[in-house]
Amino acid sequence: QVDRYLYHMRLSDDALLDVMARFQAEMVKGLGRDTNPTATVKMLPSFVRSLPDGSEKGDFLAVDLGGSQFRAHQVKVFDDGKQSSQLESKFYPIPKEVIQGNGAELFDYVADCLLDFMEAKNLKHKKLPLGFTFSFPCKQTKLEEGVLLAWTKHFKVRGVQDTDVVSSLRKALQKHKANVDVLALVNDTVGTMMTCGYDDQRCEVGLIIGTGTNACYMEEMRHIDLVEGDEGRMCINTEWGAFGDDGALDDLRTEFDRELDLGSLNPGKQLFEKMISSLYLGELVRLILLKMTKEGLLFNGKVSTALLTKGKIEMKHVSAMEKYKEGLSNTKEILTELNLFPSEEDCVAVQHVCTIVSFRSANLCAAALAAILTRLRENKKLLRMRTTVGIDGGLYKTHPQYAKRLHKVVRRLVPTCDVRFLLSVSGSGRGAAMVTAVAHRLAAQRQRIDAVLAPFLLPLGILREVKDKMRAELEYGLKRETQANATVKMLPTYVCGTPDGTEKGKFLALDLGGTNFRVLLVKIKSGRRRSVQMYNKIFAIPLEIMQGTGEELFDHIVQCIADFLEYMGIKGARLPLGFTFSFPCKQASIDKGTLVGWTKGFKATDCEGEDVVDMLREAIKRRNEFDLDIVAVVNDTVGTMMTCGYEDPNCEIGLIAGTGSNVCYMEDMKNIEIVEGNEGKMCINTEWGAFGDNGCIDNIRTKYDKEVDEGSLNPGKQRYEKMTSGMYLGEIVRQILIDLTKQGLLFRGHISESLRKRGIFETKFLSQIESDRLALLQVRRILQQLGLDSTCDDSIIVKEVCGVVSRRAARLCGAGLAAIVEKKRENRGVERLQITVGVDGTLYKLHPHFSRVLRETVKELAPQCDVTFMLSEDGSGKGAALITAVAKRLHNVGQK
């Protein structure tokens, strides 16, 4: 009979999966900025971003307001490696006149109780951080601020709704002269998750099933539209009690649910909570028993006062009646106390009603929890997930069957999640203290991290100084009497013209500048249908050849040329050749280049001070298979400028921002004292990588720059390049990560073997880690590939470190470039300069922010220059061929 009568309260697994899907949809709605206002599940950001990591320590206070009693706690957290804490608490009953009074009275009462507690514990002389557990829906904009949205659980305090409860508490504490620093406001659900998270680091869900019901969990920041930023995670307080307030559960609500809701303090609100929480289940049982009695199904149809009195049957009665081990004796005793005088059949039926009501509560709770667990698993992109749910609340703790039923149904609904349910022993008070402890730890950590990264944040004033110093160094390099001692060598390239469109013919080009070497055949057509066709082959240069003898290096280059000529079927042709040689060279003419010094990891012996064109000619002779007309030796920067100059005649600057860093530009001959003649222009290869080798930028070099420099192949040299180029940025990051780890701010203080390896952190990882599209989960995967086992918080810090290092590189590069465009403007004697910079290099091309920051910096530091940046699509090899073609054209003109 009872089964037939309560048929609608029995929910099949299909019905529960349907509830789960509905709740998932509500979660998405609550997280969206546009859909949140109409969502019933508010998904409130808690601003709790981190779980305890075991390094928290110290004394903390916590106050807990949310039920019929107010609690004050002292929590001692020990950093003893055992993750232990000690909790001492005192309970204070809250008088009815305070629950129904005004806000000032409520917060005065809280401050009074806290002072009483501090006095009893002899804590009045200490200034302690405090966590405030406030178990009512609040809208938070930061961790220590929360505006009350609505009272629940019979609270009706006037003048508090829509105000910040933390500032109300602070005012009351100041008035009572309490020496306390309120650091965090948390919901009891969040407090529960944090309490359990201290004991089990897998805990990322908090659940309360008691007088009220609610859940919170750690959500990915990128899904929370209501909060700025997409890094890391934040705990979301779902406030799921209001699920169904829009009618989404109307098909599951029975006549008894509707009657109970109408008789409540807040009709039409918290409908899910009214089907689940212990505050309402006793009343639901009373309404069912009353109707069954009226229909003659119970107690011989005699309706007693107890059945007519609202609130007479409480949850404790329901729990006691479901103790099956006691048989029916408990049920009989309770019903008799209520003057209901049951028969044995009545006792069986009432017990069955209690079971169905509490079972439905566990089922609905399990469905919503399963939705949260599924979301967590999908966020992590896992097929199977292990996680822990921290749980608290009288219904879960005291009901004899509830916990077992809940666990069973959750595991059935989400078979892909291995869930551990962890009971919060010391309630949400310890959790509030843990939130405060974590906030305290993070604030201290933040200060230390900021101190480490501060030297990388170059203000505009410092960048202007760098620009001015670069300008001064450019001038030193151009003047005859200072050039010998200048760090920025300002090497003449003897490239005196840019393409004019009449160039034509077949040219060979070599491009040597990194670990790869390219040989190209370039066909240039002139006239109306002018075009450049390129064929190239890439060859690797093994480390032993890069660091072997000069003869071996040039023999290897000629071997590669021979392979290419054969591959292209042009072995007998004597073609003009342009040699892109991306190392500092002193040139006496366009086809003579004396190597000043190796960079970028090259160390081949017997090359420095030698003419590289002669070395190439000698190697070709030694091979004695073919002959080539070496017309020009050029720097990759010059090649880049020429490539872009072919498309845009306004391009008079070439920039390389890749493995190395360098700039060239067209300078007026009259300013180049180290070359004869005053007419026209010549391209100057600045070799600006050595800027600062004289100590002029030591004020901005950090200890990490010095460590990278000392560990490099050329200590004390190329200092500017070591702060701006791709070859070194990853190594700077690695040095910072080691320091942060030593300080216990990263990777739990453990320096892994891989982090000790020089060069392990390549610049490509910076580009990947800083990608806006990359979730932290993928950052963690990159770090795992490097053997770095990181937490979510670690990943955020690593991303931040990469960001400051690459941003500084781009800004320093921008300061140097601003000096050059300003010089060009003054050379031309114009108020406003329009100029194009041809750019090449992996850092500029592949890093997600480098190019933007560089452009912004140039604009800030050279406001009278309109600079267009043009990407060199075909690299410096095409440029070498174009220079060769231009040199041939100019040579022919000279002969005529």
Side-chain angles (χ1 to χ4, degrees), residues 15 110 150 190 210 212 472 515 585 654 751 803:
V110 169
V190 181
T515 48
C585 276
I751 300 178

Side-chain angles (χ1 to χ4, degrees), residues 354-627:
C354 292
T355 300
I356 288 171
V357 166
S358 61
F359 211 134
R360 182 185 70 159
S361 163
N363 274 340
L364 288 170
C365 189
L369 180 58
I372 288 173
L373 293 169
T374 302
R375 184 169 179 87
L376 267 176
R377 185 180 60 77
E378 286 169 357
N379 280 352
K380 293 180 180 182
K381 297 184 170 60
L382 294 173
L383 293 173
R384 190 166 197 91
M385 176 180 79
R386 272 180 71 192
T387 193
T388 299
V389 175
I391 211 160
D392 201 359
L395 181 54
Y396 183 88
K397 283 178 177 175
T398 59
H399 189 285
Q401 316 294 329
Y402 201 97
K404 202 193 299 175
R405 287 173 188 160
L406 177 76
H407 301 175
K408 204 171 172 183
V409 181
V410 167
R411 287 181 178 129
R412 214 164 58 231
L413 294 178
V414 277
T416 49
C417 295
D418 302 319
V419 190
R420 178 189 180 205
F421 290 88
L422 183 60
L423 192 60
S424 166
V425 183
S426 45
S428 53
R430 187 173 95 161
M434 287 319 307
V435 172
T436 310
V438 170
H440 197 58
R441 164 173 66 82
L442 292 177
Q445 279 182 354
R446 184 72 261 165
Q447 272 184 322
R448 287 161 68 196
I449 291 165
D450 287 348
V452 166
L453 301 183
F456 289 87
L457 311 175
L458 302 176
L460 216 48
I462 294 279
L463 290 171
R464 284 198 182 99
E465 274 179 37
V466 172
K467 179 185 90 166
D468 295 343
K469 285 174 182 174
M470 176 66 88
R471 175 65 192 268
E473 292 291 320
L474 300 176
E475 301 290 357
Y476 290 149
L478 288 171
K479 297 215 170 4
R480 187 175 281 112
E481 69 271 17
T482 49
Q483 205 272 342
N485 299 321
T487 53
V488 178
K489 284 294 178 201
M490 304 296 280
L491 305 171
T493 63
Y494 295 86
V495 171
C496 297
T498 49
D500 68 357
T502 63
E503 293 78 15
K504 59 178 191 247
K506 280 184 191 175
F507 303 89
L508 269 184
L510 310 182
D511 189 352
L512 176 70
T515 48
N516 287 330
F517 165 65
R518 284 196 312 159
V519 186
L520 305 94
L521 174 65
V522 183
K523 294 179 181 176
I524 303 173
K525 284 185 185 165
S526 61
R528 226 179 33 213
R529 301 184 63 186
R530 71 184 194 136
S531 68
V532 178
Q533 279 179 302
M534 297 203 305
Y535 308 89
N536 75 74
K537 204 166 182 190
I538 295 174
F539 300 90
I541 299 193
L543 190 67
E544 62 270 19
I545 284 179
M546 279 169 72
Q547 297 182 9
T549 66
E551 200 169 283
E552 286 167 344
L553 174 65
F554 282 91
D555 283 347
H556 178 73
I557 289 168
V558 171
Q559 171 70 55
C560 296
I561 297 171
D563 290 352
F564 179 74
L565 294 175
E566 198 160 307
Y567 171 72
M568 294 300 298
I570 51 169
K571 207 159 189 181
R574 189 174 191 271
L575 295 175
L577 178 138
F579 184 14
T580 301
F581 186 75
S582 311
F583 302 93
C585 276
K586 200 165 187 174
Q587 288 188 249
S589 65
I590 197 165
D591 65 347
K592 287 195 180 314
T594 302
L595 176 63
V596 175
W598 285 118
T599 56
K600 302 179 220 174
F602 274 73
K603 267 287 189 189
T605 57
D606 309 321
C607 295
E608 292 179 5
E610 299 294 324
D611 181 355
V612 293
V613 177
D614 283 347
M615 292 185 83
L616 181 60
R617 285 189 179 126
E618 289 297 321
I620 291 169
K621 260 190 214 157
R622 274 198 300 277
R623 192 169 179 92
N624 198 21
E625 270 184 33
F626 51 83
D627 194 16

Side-chain angles (χ1 to χ4, degrees), residues 73-131:
H73 312 273
Q74 180 194 5
V75 182
K76 283 178 184 289
V77 184
F78 303 104
D79 182 18
D80 54 4
K82 295 176 189 164
Q83 279 188 238
S84 54
S85 65
Q86 185 183 319
L87 176 78
E88 292 186 44
S89 310
K90 191 170 178 184
F91 291 71
Y92 297 87
I94 305 179
K96 194 166 184 189
E97 59 271 21
V98 172
I99 288 177
Q100 310 281 315
N102 67 45
E105 290 164 352
L106 172 68
F107 289 105
D108 275 346
Y109 181 75
V110 169
D112 268 338
C113 295
L114 181 61
L115 272 170
D116 174 77
F117 178 73
M118 288 173 76
E119 204 153 304
K121 298 278 167 210
N122 194 23
L123 296 172
K124 284 186 90 169
H125 60 288
K126 283 185 175 181
K127 186 170 173 82
L128 291 175
L130 175 128

Side-chain angles (χ1 to χ4, degrees), residues 691-707:
F691 172 49
D693 287 6
N694 58 359
C696 71
I697 55 170
D698 278 4
N699 61 317
I700 60 167
R701 289 176 76 227
T702 66
K703 63 176 182 175
Y704 310 107
D705 295 309
K706 288 167 189 160
E707 279 162 6

